[in-house]
Amino acid sequence: MTIDTAMILAAGMGSRMRPLTQNTPKALLTVSNKPLIVYHLEKLVAIGITDVVINVCYLGEQIKRYLGNGQQYGADIRYSVEAKPLETAGGIINALPLLGPQPFICVNADVWTDFNFQQLVDHYQQLPNDVMADLVLVDNPEHHLQGDFAVSDSVVSLLSPLHTFAGISVLNPQLFTQLPVNSDRLGDVLKAAIVSQSQPSGIYGLYYKGQWSDVGTPERLMVLNLA
């Protein structure tokens, strides 16, 4: 099955990034003079995914003004506006009417990586038909040594050793059909799916060894810009 749509999660307040996010949304903070969210847009367009949904809330008008309809990047951007900040799963659920019924790539705006999204698409297309999610997992950074998920032969579990969810995935809308819009974090929804269903749970993944950073603090952003 082809993937034609992507969602970029960009509604967060970026509280840990203050004072940098006092007047600028985290998605527009720059690495090498380019906003984080633009890296993702360019990567998506490069593999032929031009239909992009972005959820916005905190300082969302700045993101909408900066990116516009996406034409300058070769994309067609639509915005899912949140009246108040939702958690990641809630933001996805709120955007489902724009995303449609087919699986889509989902990426956190506030991560930086050299990961090629085509690698995820190729991996997803080789999986069984029961896929609810296909996750990119990376080595645990120092600030998240406990990790999130394990992966073996592409099947994701909660067994050790655990890797960190990179905030990049292919998601099936069916994963969210029974969930309310006030649902919690995407990671919690994924863990619940693994725990509540017999194997295989429909949660798959691949391990990526390359460059990745959760740009969650001013110090991590500074490290990226000094690299």
Side-chain angles (χ1 to χ4, degrees), residues 209-227:
K209 184 67 175 176
Q211 298 180 56
W212 176 88
S213 175
D214 167 17
V215 191
T217 65
E219 291 76 20
R220 290 179 219 157
L221 182 63
M222 181 178 65
V223 168
L224 278 174
N225 276 305
L226 292 175

Side-chain angles (χ1 to χ4, degrees), residues 10-11 61 70 78 90 97 101 105 110 133 140 145 157 170-171 188 207 212 227:
E61 289 301 317
R78 292 170 294 158
I105 285 181
D110 59 352
N140 298 331
L145 292 176
S157 72
V170 171
L171 300 175
D188 294 330
Y207 167 68
W212 176 88

Side-chain angles (χ1 to χ4, degrees), residues 61-146:
E61 289 301 317
Q62 287 191 37
I63 297 175
K64 293 169 69 175
R65 284 197 302 270
Y66 191 94
L67 300 178
N69 62 9
Q71 183 176 4
Q72 62 179 318
Y73 304 101
D76 178 12
I77 296 176
R78 292 170 294 158
Y79 295 94
S80 176
V81 180
E82 300 173 9
K84 60 180 181 179
L86 299 169
E87 287 290 358
T88 46
I92 294 168
I93 294 165
N94 189 60
L96 287 179
L98 296 176
L99 291 164
Q102 300 302 320
F104 57 93
I105 285 181
C106 185
V107 56
N108 293 355
D110 59 352
V111 300
W112 185 92
T113 181
D114 62 356
F115 180 74
N116 187 334
F117 293 155
Q118 186 63 50
Q119 184 177 345
L120 175 60
V121 172
D122 293 343
H123 184 264
Y124 166 77
Q125 292 175 338
Q126 297 171 11
L127 294 175
N129 293 328
D130 67 343
V131 184
M132 290 291 105
D134 191 14
L135 315 179
V136 178
L137 303 177
V138 297
D139 288 330
N140 298 331
E142 290 185 1
H143 60 273
H144 190 65
L145 292 176
Q146 71 271 27

Side-chain angles (χ1 to χ4, degrees), residues 6 53 67-68 101 124 163 183-184 200-201 210 215 227:
V53 175
L67 300 178
Y124 166 77
H163 295 296
S183 293
D184 207 344
S201 66
V215 191

Side-chain angles (χ1 to χ4, degrees), residues 189-199 201:
V189 170
L190 295 168
K191 289 176 181 177
I194 293 171
V195 170
S196 65
Q197 301 180 33
S198 60
Q199 293 293 333
S201 66

